[in-house]
């Protein structure tokens, strides 16, 4: 039997929704993200995801949490929080495991950058873990400057910092 790969679904059918951390649509994203981090780093990462107060991801505190929805279901998401007056910090960029390789993470980053710029931020910073090569690749491909030696073994560095100045 020959299998035929299905073409990826169009990302134009995806809508963006701003939400709060308490929105029920966020829970599956954070659960899967925590599970993924836990499996990669060998310790429970769910507490790390709750490290920042929920309010930091609301407009009132200079943050945003957004989801990409397809047919009403979350397929990707991400957030930023205020780092300082001119800098937003990206957090929790995530694509549901069943929807990877469709460019959704890139769209999340684009949406977050647009929102950050509209809110007066001129710089974005972020860190990603040393066992997340796809995240590292995403940030390099979307114009982020690595603030570490890219030739070094990521495991010897720990958290990998990046920044990008917004136009």
């Amino acid at each position: 039997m020959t299998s035929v790969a299905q073409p990826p679904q169009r990302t134009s059918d995806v809508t963006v929704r701003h939400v709060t951390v308490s929105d029920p649509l966020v829970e599956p994203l954070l659960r899967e993200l925590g599970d993924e981090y836990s499996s990669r780093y060998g310790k429970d990462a769910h507490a790390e995801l709750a490290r920042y107060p929920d309010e930091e991801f609301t407009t009132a505190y200079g943050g945003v949490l957004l989801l990409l929805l397809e047919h009403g279901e979350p397929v990707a998401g991400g957030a930023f929080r205020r780092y300082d007056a001119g800098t937003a910090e990206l957090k929790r960029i995530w694509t549901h495991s069943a929807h990877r390789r469709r460019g959704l993470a890139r769209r999340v980053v684009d949406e977050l950058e647009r929102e950050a710029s509209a809110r007066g931020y001129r710089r974005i910073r972020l860190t990603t873990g040393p066992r997340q090569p796809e995240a590292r690749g995403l940030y390099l491909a979307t114009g982020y400057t690595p603030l570490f030696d890219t030739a070094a073994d990521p495991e010897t560095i720990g958290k990998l910092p990046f920044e990008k100045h917004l136009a």
Side-chain angles (χ1 to χ4, degrees):
M1 178 174 198
T2 303
S3 67
V4 177
Q6 298 297 313
Q9 293 179 315
R10 299 179 331 195
T11 58
S12 61
D13 296 333
V14 174
T15 60
V16 178
R17 183 184 296 177
H18 291 218
V19 296
T20 63
V21 174
S22 63
D23 188 308
L25 289 172
V26 175
E27 194 278 333
L29 181 137
L30 290 179
R31 180 175 16 89
E32 188 179 42
L33 184 58
D35 292 347
E36 181 87 19
Y37 287 172
S38 296
S39 71
R40 289 183 187 213
Y41 295 101
K43 61 182 180 183
D44 185 2
H46 293 88
E48 169 60 22
L49 293 176
R51 176 175 165 195
Y52 300 102
D54 294 354
E55 302 81 45
E56 290 193 20
F57 302 105
T58 64
T59 301
Y61 286 80
V64 162
L65 172 60
L66 61 81
L67 295 176
L68 300 186
L69 303 177
E70 187 171 62
H71 310 295
E73 296 297 321
V75 293
F80 66 75
R81 59 186 282 274
R82 182 184 187 276
Y83 184 76
D84 63 34
T87 308
E89 181 179 30
L90 295 190
K91 305 297 284 182
R92 319 294 185 247
I93 309 302
W94 187 246
T95 301
H96 187 284
S97 58
H99 296 277
R100 293 182 181 157
R101 310 294 301 160
R102 296 178 51 202
L104 296 170
R106 183 179 290 254
R107 182 158 175 202
V108 168
V109 171
D110 288 347
E111 293 287 342
L112 291 170
E113 289 177 357
R114 188 179 55 72
E115 283 292 329
S117 181
R119 292 165 193 234
Y121 292 114
R122 295 294 162 244
R123 184 174 79 106
I124 293 182
R125 73 174 306 273
L126 64 92
T127 59
T128 191
R131 297 180 187 171
Q132 297 168 250
E134 61 284 273
R136 177 181 165 151
L138 170 68
Y139 301 127
L140 290 171
T142 53
Y144 282 80
T145 301
L147 303 176
F148 58 92
D149 179 0
T150 58
D153 176 358
E155 291 286 340
T156 65
I157 299 171
K159 290 184 179 179
L160 307 176
F162 290 85
E163 73 172 1
K164 183 176 187 177
H165 291 272
L166 300 175

